Amino acid sequence: MPADQNRYGRDRRYGTTAYYTEGNTVRTAAPVPEVRPRRRKQKRQVRTHYTEARRTASVSITLPLTLLLVAAVAASLFIGYRYLCLKSSLNSHMSEVKTLEAQLDRIRTENDNFEKSIDTSVDLNYVYSVAVNELGMVHVGQDNIIQYEKTESEYVRQYEDIPTE
């Protein structure tokens, strides 16, 4: 017995009786009638005043709708134009920034090279010997440092004499 039928031969889905074979007797099948395709009748092209008015009413565009569409198209074009202008400006500024960054890197490299050449060109031993021998300079020692406290005010006058012991 098929799963969608109950024990009385009734189809659960559609409520119709389905016959099935039980035992050795089989019912005879009725011949299937031949189905001929129907010829479609051609509709007459009858246009009444009502159908013409309905067709023109559904297709017609009123003046306010036209103005709204024109305004929407104009706004879309204006926004698109402004977007393209801003995008172009942004691209040109970005390329200018890249150029300036490359120039800054080049200048920093040159500056580092000049600083290294200055550092290597100066002989510190020669500077020390000229300062000590020719100019009479000496290293600072504890006996050369003088500390004093000013008691008058907390302001420092630039041209005031420094007291010596």
Side-chain angles (χ1 to χ4, degrees), residues 30-94:
V32 178
E34 183 179 325
V35 179
R36 293 183 185 165
R38 290 185 178 179
R39 288 182 62 186
R40 296 181 75 185
K41 294 181 180 178
Q42 293 183 358
K43 291 187 177 181
R44 290 185 283 165
Q45 296 285 333
V46 178
R47 292 187 180 179
T48 62
H49 178 67
Y50 173 72
T51 36
E52 281 296 321
R54 195 168 139 205
R55 180 173 292 133
T56 56
S58 65
V59 177
S60 69
I61 298 176
T62 60
L63 181 64
L65 182 60
T66 304
L67 293 177
L68 180 67
L69 288 174
V70 168
V73 168
S76 298
L77 290 175
F78 178 74
I79 290 171
Y81 174 74
R82 291 298 301 157
Y83 172 75
L84 291 176
C85 288
L86 289 174
K87 185 74 172 166
S88 173
S89 173
L90 179 69
N91 288 342
S92 66
H93 286 296
M94 291 301 289

